[in-house]
Structure formats: C-alpha cells, structure tokens
Amino acid sequence: MEIKEERASEEARQFLPSSQVDSLGEPQFTSIQRIANEPKLEFSLACKGLVAATRDRKLNTFIQVSVVHPAEHILTRYSSTEIVEGTRDPLFLTGVTFPPEYPIYEETKIKLTVYDVKDKSQDTVLTSVLPDHKEPRADVGRSFLGCATFRVGDLVKSKEQQLTLTLRFLSRTSDGGKTVGTIEVNLVKMGEFEDGEMDHITTDAQDQKFLCFLPLKSCSCGFLSATCAHNTENLERMTDRRAKEECALVRECTAPEGLSGKDNLPSLNAVLKNPICKLYRFPTSDNKWMRIREQMAETTLSFHVPKELINLHIKEDMRRNQELKDLGELAPHWDNMRKSVIAHCDQMLSMYQDTLAELGKHTGSSFKSSCSKGEKTLEFIPINLHLQRMHVHSPRLKDALYDVITVGAPAAHFQGFKNGGLRKLLSKFEAERRNTGYQCIYYSPENTAKAKEVLSNINHLQPLISSHADLLLNSASQHSPDSLKNSLKMLSEKTELFVHAFKDQLVRSALLALYTARPGCVLKKPAVPRSSAEESDDLKHQNHPSQIKRQDSIPHHSEYDEEEWDRVWANVGKSLNCVIAMVDRLLEKDNSSKTKEGESDPSAADCKVLHAGGDWYEQLYPLVITLKDCMGEVVTRAKQSMAFVLLQELACGLPQCLMLTLRRDIVFSQALAGLVCGFIIKLHTSLHDQGFLQQLHTVGLLVQYEGLLSTYSEEAGMLEDMAVGISDLQKVMFKVIEAKSEDFLPIITGRREHYVIEVQLPAKMFELLPQEIKEGKLLRMYPVLFNVGINEQQTLAERFGDTTLQENINQENLELLKEYYNLFTEKMPPDCLPHFQEQNDLKGLLENLHQNIQAKRRKNVEIMWLAATICRKLNGVRFTCCKSAKDRTSMSVTLEQCSILRDEHQLHKDFFIRALDCMRSRQTQGALNESDDPETGCLTDNKPTSRHFYPVALLLVSSHLLVVWLILSLALLLAKYQ
C-alpha cells in the first residue's frame, strides 16, 4: 500500500489535533486497543444525497482517503475506494484497513475527499503522475465534489460505531463551505455483521454501475489485475460453465478456537512479514452482508531456504572433491581425468560460495521482484513468492480461510532458454553420455544415484556405529546388564543396516573398475560368485575373531581377487556375531553367579561385581576393536569405488554435467522455497483438523501447481525447467520437531536426491500433533503440475507451433494424481474428506480431468478448474504460477476467490462482476505512479503495447523479415479479436 505526501505541512495544520505534552515536551497520543496481529482500524464508506454540478448528471464517484499524522504534521494520501458509476447514493464495497504496524492513534484525523470522474481513461493515466501536493485540474478527467474529516477517537468511541459526516465543497470565497451530501463511516469488526443497509443496496443494485481502473502495469500483488483482456476472456470461461458446481478453491475452515490465535503465533510470524490487507463487504443472496479481508504477505523463506540449500551444496561438493582426491594412485589417463574434474568442481564450488556470500549481504525486501529475475546473484531466489489469503466472515460460515501460494515459475532465467529447459537438456545429455566411447565408463543415472546413496549411508552410519560401540564398552565397564542389552540392540540394528547398504552388485563392479584404473593391474581368473545363502551360513558358523583374516587395501601391482570384497564385507557381520555371542555368555554367567551367591556377604559381592566389570570390558574390548577395524576396511573400499563411479559421471560430460547440475540446483531451490512456505502455512491452518493430520502422516501431502505458461519461445524452456523442478520435490521429506529456542525457521538437512525439512513448532502447538508425527515420522510430498497456456503466445503455439510438451506434462502428472488418490482411498476413511456445499465424486472428477486432457482442446481452462477442485477436496496445497506471478497469476487467483464467495458463501449473483472488479482494481490500491511500482521498482513509462510490432523501417531491410512481420501481426490481431 503506497502512502504519499499530499499537501505541504502548512496546509495540513488546520486538521491537526491538540495533543497532550509530557514533561519533556514530547506529545503523547492514545493508542487504539486491538487484538494482536489484527488490523488497527477498519471501516467502510457510503455517500448519500450527493449534489452534481448539473441536475440531470449521474455521478461516477470514488473517495480518496488521506491521513493526518499528528506527530509529523503532514497530510498523506493513503488509499482510494473503487468507482461507483451512475448514482448519487454510492455504497462502496471496498473498505479501508490500517495494518497492525501503522502509526494511527485516537488523535489522528482522517480526511475523506469525494471526486466525480468525468473521463475515466484520462483520470486513470494523468492523475497518477501528478505531484503529490497538487489536486488534478478539472479538465484531466475528474472534479472535486467535497471533503469531510473526522477524528479516529470519535469513530472508535461512538456508541453505534458509526459516524455521519457532512460533505462540504470548500472554496476560498465561503467560510463554511457548501453542503453537497453526507458520508457514512462504519467501523468494521470481522466478527460482527452489518444490519439495516441491505434494502438500500438491493434496491439500487441495478442502477449502480461499477468501474475499476485497470493498471498500466500490474504489480506483484495478487489483488491487482492483468492488462490483457485476452487472459481474462479465457479465465472467465470457467465461471460461465459451472455456476452451480463446486468452486476450484473449496473452503478451508478451521476450528473457531484455533483461528483467533493462529496468526498470533510467533512461529508463523517468523515466516510471514509485511502483510498488505484489503477490506471488502459484499451482499449475499439472502440479503445479508459478508466481510472479506484479503491479505498478501511476503515470506522470509524466499531467502532463508536458498541460503540453507546452497550451504548444503557447498558441504556436499567439498566432500565429493575430497573423496576424488582420496582415490589414491591412478593410471595417467584416469589421473588426468581426475585432475580436470577436480579443477572444474573447484570452480563451481567457488561460484556457490560467492553466491552465498552475496545473498548474506542482501537487505531490503524479502522477495525477488520480476525485474530482478535475470540477476546472477539472485538466481536461486524464487520470483514474487507470496501468500494470498482470503478471510471470509459470512452468516453461513463464521470464519473461513482460503490460501494460495503465488510464485513465478521456477526457472533458470539468468542462464536463458536458447537451448531449451532442463527437460530437453537432461534428455540430450543422457543420450550423449552413452556415446562417450573409451574415454570413460558409462554408468546409468540409476547407478549414479545408487552410488550417492551408498556414500550418504556411509557418512551417516559409520559415526553411529562407532558411538554405539563405545556405549557398549562403557556399559561393560559399569557392569550394567540392562544398559549392555540396550547398547547391543542399537549396535546390532545399525550394523545390519550398514552391511545391507553394500549388498549391491554396483560396489563389486565398481571395485573391479577401480582396480583396472590402477597402474600395472593384473586380473585373476574370475571366480564364481557365492550365493547369499552361503554368505549367511558363514556369518552363523564363524563367530571367533581368530577366524577373521584382515585384508590389506586394494593391491596396485598384484593380482586382483574378485572374491576379496565379499570376504571384507562379510567380516563386519562375523565381527558383530562375535560381539553378540560374547555378550550372551557374559550375561548368562552373570545370571548364574547371582543365583548361587544370593546368600553371600554383601561386601564380598561388591568386590566380585567390580572384578566382573573389569572382566566384561577386557573380554569385549578386542572384539569391538575388530568390528571397528573391519568396518573401516569396508568404508575405505566402498568410498573409493563409489567415488570412482561419480568420477565417471562428471568426466563423461565436462563441463556440461556441472552446468546442468547448477541449473537443476537453481530451479530446485526456487521450487523448494515455495513448497516449504506452503507446507508451514497448511500445517498452521489445519492444526485442529485431526483428519488432515492423520492423512498427513498416513498418506502424505498433495501439492498441486497450476501453471499458466505458454509453450511458445522462452516460456517453453521455463515450463521444461518448472516440470523438472517440481518433479524433484518428490525427493523432499518433512519432519515436525519441537522448537528449542525462539528461532522457528525451518532446518534443512540431507543431500541432492534426498532432503529432510525440519519444521519447528512451539511446545503448545507441538502437543496438538498425533503421536506418529511427534515421534519424528517423515512426511512425504506428492507434487503435481498441470499447465494450460492462456496468453496470446499460446495462440501462436497452438496454431503455428507445438503443444506436445504441455500435453505430456499434464498426462504424466495425471498418473501421479491417480496414484495419490488410490493411496488415499486405500488408507483413509471417506469421512476424512472435507465437506462441501456440493459434494462431487472424486473418481468422477478424475475421469473428467482425464477426458479433458485427452481432448487436447485449445486453452482448455477446464483442466485447471478440475485439478484445483480435486486438490482442495484432497486437503492439498495450491500453487498458482506464471512467468513472474503477476498478470496471469493475479487474474486466476481473483477469479477463484470470487468463485468461492459465490459457491461457498452465497455471494449475490448481481455482484459477482463487481466483486471481481473490486479485487482487480488498481484504484483501490491508491494512485501509484508508474515509477513507483512496488514490485518492479523500475520505470515503465511509454512502453509499446506489444513487443511483437517492430518498427517497419527496420524490417524493410529484408523482404523476408517484412513478410514474417506481417504474418505475426495478422496472427496477433486474429488472436486478439477471436
């Protein structure tokens, strides 16, 4: 919300209140009592009996709201209502709201100025560039009708919480001014309903027309509309088809006892910041009022998640580089390859470190604007990531929240889309890798992922086994049978996981490949591999440490025995069996000695216990050391073999492999920031919904992305990036933990291919969770993407290009959605589904979605409608994305919100378009200059209406270019007027 200085301080002094002065000479003001995190002040406006300049003229009026700050002696322009056209008794649907942090007091005065708009187009353009201290001339599109002022304290303390003010036309010749009507100011509280005005609005509904100012360039706010009427036509097709069907954004009600305190929670405040609120009141079909508070908030996760992710990338890449260096001596060919790979990896690591350092210096807004999407230092940051929330208080539903996360399509804008996006680049790279020839060994993506998983298991399990082994020795020294049993149990479980982690043919084959890369290798005749039954038989019968032969490291200049790895790997299991057998014998002897010496002298028994404790430690110590040595032997060999596999992956595609990894990291970082934000918001909203919490830990969370990108030119590459980034979110798991400090920001752990997001909740909120979630169960995500291009570029793609990419993405994600639905119906009872005004069978909706995807109709927005409906019915999280999360995104979100009000809250049918225009009106956001766009932060004056209409003089250089220009221009005109 833009606040601008309207008049010089001398002109504002007539409105200044008389304030008290403290002993130090500082004025003291009375604060307004309010609920924490709720707006300080909200009120609605209406005019009656307005006087026009001519008797037969119908007025087109709006009210401009200005605030006198008592401490600064300045009058500032704050906001405006929508324009109500064709009546002298306008009732404005857009209210005025002051956010919690706004400095407003009982002594503050508010000036209400009423204007009559004569020429709407001129007023839209010309008044936005006026100096702040000047009023518009009468010939620029609007005329001054009158103004009135009131003191905030008078409104708050009034018995009926309503003020009726006389509207006066102030002139230099008259003292009191001419009366030109009245203004009604009604204090608004979201928990109360208005009565007594419905007759007024229903009788005049047909006479009042509404006009909204369309912006010259819309902002990032979801409340602001796009300028493209072409987009509006496609999106609003949905409202004509299903006036009586369920809405795409089904209601998301929470328990009344949880709503009032939900937004007050510090954990949510740590994630959301800088909220912008708008207030509306709309009539229902049964002649009652409902109030709507629309909120847009930034999130600190836009920068927090990418910084945490980059830090993990740096640590992972540093480990990988060290593992490559630890491969030991290699033949000249492989050694040169390793040096080249390490050099390139070091350059990439330096780039990550520089990016993290630059992000650490960032100050200012907590979101990335669209004009910054091409900046290299911000390429990991999502574009315009915001929460769009609509809070509805209606007679039918007391409190309902509807959330949508809006974000620009996750894509690598800085790297560009000349060669396509990730989907095409990865496919092309994999095909080239298969034809690399003799220079390196080809491993499939599955084997490469397996190698990374083995290395991750090594780094995770080895320290755990060592710590449990130390605890076992400590229990033995203290002669504690119970502690000894528990330590042995934990040691056995972790060691078994460790052994099974290497039960894969990949490790064996990689060891052989590594040996062939050593200088002077000689291969022995391959041996017949033993069966798993024979290996397990060896583990059972060989339980003495003398039977375990220690193996040296992989020989460099001698014959290589392929069975050597089997013996080294089996030694870990044999060592564990020896430890288990020894502990069993010690506990058995301890039990028998206790039964025989039950009548012995207590002091003598204590001496025997101390002596036995020493015996336990001495007998277990060599076995535990042997276990650690065998484990170390396995770790050394496995690490080297898996590092050699990764070396092949990197060497086969330098430097393209690293550049693709970078691009994928960038896209994934943007997608993950949005996912974390959506999960946290959904968790806070549904803490009192036991059905949702059961679904969360039993099945997982459905996350549905609505894409509005075209399949033409650069946006096709963006869509390819977005599809891969959203698919990669399947590798993310969430875990809810109890916060141990006041820092509630999420913690990210893991590696590429597998991340765990730890969401921190305060103790009181944590206690509301089911036991499974409190015990740390990992929560799975099911992301799906459905894309339908709706702009003029999609028209070109459908007529002259290719839409196969969009069709394939929708078909693939339909299968994922069906998979989630089948899992849901299998594990969850039907009563866990939300209850709606009109229940539709989910199976039928899925079948309808399948038919629409197969139909391949042009700009089939029905796909978006059905996918969103299914997502909401399955308690999912909704995302809406376009190129920059501005024009197309705002059009889609506002249409969905008004559809909710119609289908779920009985919005009066005559006010659907007015409600839609109110939410899309830029006028209600205040008169913003073109250069003061809060999202772009850059000048937008004098831009052409279409970048496709190039100067003809330039095209005349080539006759071919002229023909192309004529064809494109004709196509655009046809698309525009179709």
Side-chain angles (χ1 to χ4, degrees), residues 238-239 242-252 390 402 404 704 706 836-840 845 864-874 878 892-906 912:
M238 297 188 290
T239 61
R242 297 194 171 193
K244 294 184 179 181
E245 294 187 18
E246 80 287 358
C247 175
L249 289 178
V250 236
R251 62 185 171 89
E252 195 172 280
M390 183 172 70
Y402 305 92
V404 182
Q704 188 252 328
E706 176 184 295
F836 310 124
Q837 184 173 349
E838 292 187 15
Q839 281 283 359
N840 277 350
L845 290 172
M864 296 190 302
W865 185 283
L866 291 167
T869 303
I870 294 170
C871 173
R872 292 293 185 177
K873 284 180 176 290
L874 290 173
R878 286 271 295 110
S892 176
V893 170
T894 51
L895 179 61
E896 285 181 334
Q897 290 180 164
C898 288
S899 299
I900 292 173
L901 299 178
R902 178 195 63 197
D903 298 331
E904 300 296 331
H905 300 275
Q906 300 177 347
F912 180 86

Side-chain angles (χ1 to χ4, degrees), residues 299-585:
T299 171
T300 57
L301 300 176
S302 293
F303 282 82
H304 172 75
V305 171
K307 287 193 290 186
E308 290 287 306
L309 206 55
I310 294 173
N311 192 38
L312 287 178
H313 292 332
I314 291 173
K315 293 179 180 178
E316 180 181 351
D317 292 348
M318 290 178 68
R319 285 195 303 267
R320 179 196 58 199
N321 291 356
Q322 187 59 45
E323 289 162 355
L324 292 176
K325 295 175 182 177
D326 293 341
L327 276 176
E329 187 179 0
L330 297 175
H333 168 73
W334 300 105
D335 191 49
N336 292 334
M337 181 184 293
R338 173 173 59 177
K339 290 178 181 178
S340 176
V341 168
I342 291 176
H344 281 86
C345 289
D346 285 341
Q347 292 179 4
M348 195 62 62
L349 182 62
S350 176
M351 190 279 298
Y352 280 100
Q353 292 170 336
D354 293 342
T355 301
L356 183 60
E358 290 297 323
L359 291 179
K361 301 176 184 176
H362 177 81
T363 57
S365 63
S366 56
F367 72 98
K368 183 175 80 172
S369 63
S370 61
C371 66
S372 301
K373 61 176 173 282
E375 293 186 17
K376 179 175 177 55
T377 56
L378 299 178
E379 57 185 347
F380 285 85
I381 310 301
I383 301 171
N384 283 333
L385 176 59
H386 289 85
L387 165 68
Q388 298 283 153
R389 167 168 289 181
M390 183 172 70
H391 179 191
V392 183
H393 193 93
S394 65
R396 183 172 176 271
L397 292 173
K398 297 297 182 182
D399 286 304
L401 291 180
Y402 305 92
D403 292 336
V404 182
I405 306 298
T406 59
V407 63
H413 294 276
F414 177 78
Q415 296 189 19
F417 309 96
K418 182 178 180 181
N419 299 315
L422 275 173
R423 192 179 173 101
K424 180 186 296 183
L425 293 174
L426 289 172
S427 176
K428 182 180 178 181
F429 174 72
E430 190 57 33
E432 292 176 351
R433 279 189 59 202
R434 292 191 179 96
N435 302 319
T436 53
Y438 68 92
Q439 293 185 351
C440 56
I441 304 171
Y442 173 77
Y443 288 97
S444 66
E446 294 77 15
N447 284 335
T448 302
K450 180 65 178 178
K452 295 177 181 178
E453 182 182 354
V454 170
L455 288 172
S456 176
N457 289 334
I458 291 173
N459 295 327
H460 174 67
L461 292 174
Q462 185 183 15
L464 287 178
I465 294 174
S466 297
S467 62
H468 288 310
D470 293 337
L471 289 175
L472 181 71
L473 292 177
N474 186 47
S475 301
S477 63
Q478 296 178 0
H479 197 270
S480 174
D482 293 336
S483 178
L484 192 67
K485 290 179 183 179
N486 293 333
S487 299
L488 180 63
K489 180 182 178 181
M490 296 300 298
L491 178 64
S492 300
E493 291 176 355
K494 299 303 178 184
T495 306
E496 288 176 5
L497 291 175
F498 180 83
V499 171
H500 286 290
F502 305 111
K503 195 174 183 179
D504 194 282
Q505 182 63 31
L506 176 64
V507 181
R508 183 180 290 103
S509 63
L511 277 171
L512 177 59
L514 175 60
Y515 175 73
T516 61
R518 303 290 189 190
C521 67
V522 178
L523 291 180
K524 190 178 179 180
K525 183 180 179 181
V528 179
R530 298 185 298 169
S531 66
S532 58
E534 294 172 342
E535 292 173 355
S536 60
D537 186 65
D538 289 344
L539 294 177
K540 293 179 180 179
H541 295 289
Q542 300 184 19
N543 292 329
H544 196 274
S546 62
Q547 295 174 305
I548 301 174
K549 296 182 179 180
R550 296 285 307 281
Q551 303 292 331
D552 296 330
S553 60
I554 298 177
H556 288 197
H557 301 280
S558 60
E559 294 184 353
Y560 176 68
D561 186 357
E562 292 190 44
E563 292 187 355
E564 184 181 11
W565 166 250
D566 295 329
R567 293 192 294 269
V568 173
W569 171 67
N571 283 346
V572 177
K574 295 174 183 178
S575 300
L576 177 63
N577 288 337
C578 293
V579 173
I580 294 174
M582 181 58 69
V583 170
D584 290 341
R585 286 198 293 267

Side-chain angles (χ1 to χ4, degrees), residues 41-212:
L41 179 68
E42 293 179 313
F43 57 86
S44 58
L45 298 169
C47 294
K48 289 186 178 180
L50 296 180
V51 178
T54 58
R55 180 174 300 179
D56 58 345
R57 170 170 170 75
K58 291 185 177 181
L59 298 176
N60 308 320
T61 54
F62 75 94
I63 300 178
Q64 182 173 283
V65 181
S66 303
V67 179
V68 179
H69 296 278
E72 301 176 3
H73 295 202
I74 293 176
L75 183 68
T76 58
R77 190 159 57 216
Y78 185 76
S79 68
S80 300
T81 66
E82 78 277 13
I83 297 177
V84 178
E85 195 175 355
T87 179
R88 299 191 180 190
D89 300 319
L91 191 147
F92 300 97
L93 303 183
T94 304
V96 181
T97 180
F98 292 88
E101 67 277 4
Y102 192 85
I104 189 169
Y105 309 95
E106 290 188 7
E107 292 81 8
T108 302
K109 281 195 174 183
I110 294 178
K111 178 186 177 184
L112 305 175
T113 307
V114 182
Y115 291 98
D116 175 23
V117 178
K118 298 179 180 178
D119 188 336
K120 280 78 68 174
S121 60
Q122 288 187 14
D123 186 73
T124 304
V125 177
L126 298 179
T127 60
S128 65
V129 295
L130 281 176
D132 292 331
H133 62 280
K134 292 185 178 180
E135 295 290 345
R137 303 188 312 272
D139 59 349
V140 298
R142 71 183 187 185
S143 62
F144 172 78
L145 285 183
C147 64
T149 61
F150 68 92
R151 186 173 171 270
V152 171
D154 295 338
L155 176 62
V156 174
K157 296 179 179 179
S158 62
K159 186 175 181 181
E160 298 179 354
Q161 297 186 335
Q162 175 180 332
L163 296 178
T164 301
L165 309 175
T166 300
L167 188 64
R168 297 184 182 277
F169 179 83
L170 300 177
S171 63
R172 299 182 184 274
T173 57
S174 60
D175 295 334
K178 176 184 175 182
T179 300
V180 293
T182 59
I183 298 181
E184 291 184 358
V185 184
N186 292 276
L187 188 66
V188 172
K189 294 182 180 179
M190 286 295 288
E192 300 176 1
F193 295 103
E194 293 182 53
D195 296 315
E197 292 191 20
M198 289 311 301
D199 293 337
H200 167 68
I201 192 167
T202 52
T203 55
D204 295 345
Q206 301 300 325
D207 296 331
Q208 295 189 14
K209 298 181 181 179
F210 178 78
L211 173 72
C212 73

